[in-house]
Amino acid sequence: MELIPYEPEISAYLAADAVIDHEHAVVRDTARRLRAAAPDAYAYAKAAFEHVRDTVPHSADAGDPRVTWRASDVLEQRTGICFAKAHALAALLRAEGIPAALCYQKLDTVHGLIALKLPGERWARQDPRGNKPGVDAQFRLDREQLAWPVRPELDEADYPLLFAAPHPAVLRCLQEVADRPRLWQLLPTALEMPEARRS
């Protein structure tokens, strides 16, 4: 599948905002620690992916009722669903100058992941959701190894657009609920996709 940037300028995928707040001290401190053991951009990106995948439990797996959406909160509180974990990974990547986008799959509900662009490489999707029995997402550039491959026969699909900021329906859902049980009732089952912007 061809991945299509929604924003024409690569700088959009390096920006900080209220969600991907990579200028926050928690994000910067985490990035600094990860960078200390990473000799290059690839090693750093892999370390950031594994950090979010393995040290921030998916709140459903952990039975944690808290809902996070801001990258710094995800890293500080160490909890979040797929969307929140994607925000945290995007922030860690952007903190070190690696373009990172948010992207989505249509499964039984919408699932969030990221795409990154390392020097000399194409955009590559990575899924920091967190592994468990039956889920084995890995950091790879040669081929995708996501948490769940889509099953078209079940009306599942990959959305090809790469966003610099969260899809509004996703962010609204995360921001408007008091706890994860309520969030589970409101998760979108599909997203409206706009046309990619042109420069």
Side-chain angles (χ1 to χ4, degrees):
M1 178 187 70
E2 180 188 4
L3 299 175
I4 303 167
Y6 175 63
E7 302 288 349
E9 300 297 330
I10 197 73
S11 60
Y13 300 96
L14 292 166
D17 60 26
V19 179
I20 304 174
D21 57 341
H22 65 73
E23 295 172 348
H24 192 283
V26 169
V27 180
R28 289 288 180 184
D29 289 346
T30 304
R32 192 176 303 111
R33 285 196 314 274
L34 295 170
R35 186 181 66 235
D40 56 31
Y42 176 90
Y44 174 81
K46 185 173 188 287
F49 168 84
E50 291 176 349
H51 179 80
V52 174
R53 183 194 64 188
D54 298 342
T55 73
V56 179
H58 190 289
S59 56
D61 296 348
D64 192 327
R66 295 175 293 170
V67 175
T68 54
W69 52 268
R70 185 178 288 113
S72 57
D73 291 340
V74 176
L75 294 172
E76 188 168 47
Q77 298 177 34
R78 292 192 181 266
T79 190
I81 68 166
C82 60
F83 305 125
K85 294 184 67 165
H87 301 165
L89 179 54
L92 287 174
L93 294 169
R94 292 183 187 185
E96 290 298 312
I98 298 171
L102 303 171
C103 48
Y104 304 95
Q105 294 175 305
K106 179 186 180 293
L107 305 175
D108 55 338
T109 60
V110 174
H111 176 60
L113 52 159
I114 68 110
L116 58 80
K117 193 170 190 322
L118 287 171
E121 299 283 347
R122 297 174 301 167
W123 285 101
R125 293 191 304 172
Q126 310 293 334
D127 192 342
R129 180 236 179 260
N131 291 338
K132 62 179 184 175
V135 175
D136 183 27
Q138 300 294 329
F139 184 87
R140 302 187 68 136
L141 297 181
D142 59 334
R143 65 177 178 83
E144 290 185 339
Q145 191 167 337
L146 307 178
W148 292 287
V150 299
R151 298 165 295 178
E153 68 275 13
L154 297 180
D155 197 31
E156 296 178 350
D158 289 308
Y159 291 115
L161 278 183
L162 304 179
F163 294 94
H167 190 285
V170 167
L171 188 57
R172 186 168 53 250
C173 184
L174 291 171
Q175 291 178 329
E176 291 181 355
V177 298
D179 56 34
R180 189 180 44 78
R182 179 63 177 150
L183 176 62
W184 249 226
Q185 298 171 356
L186 298 176
L187 286 174
T189 56
L191 295 175
E192 289 189 25
M193 288 288 129
E195 292 289 325
R197 294 177 174 165
R198 300 184 182 206
S199 54

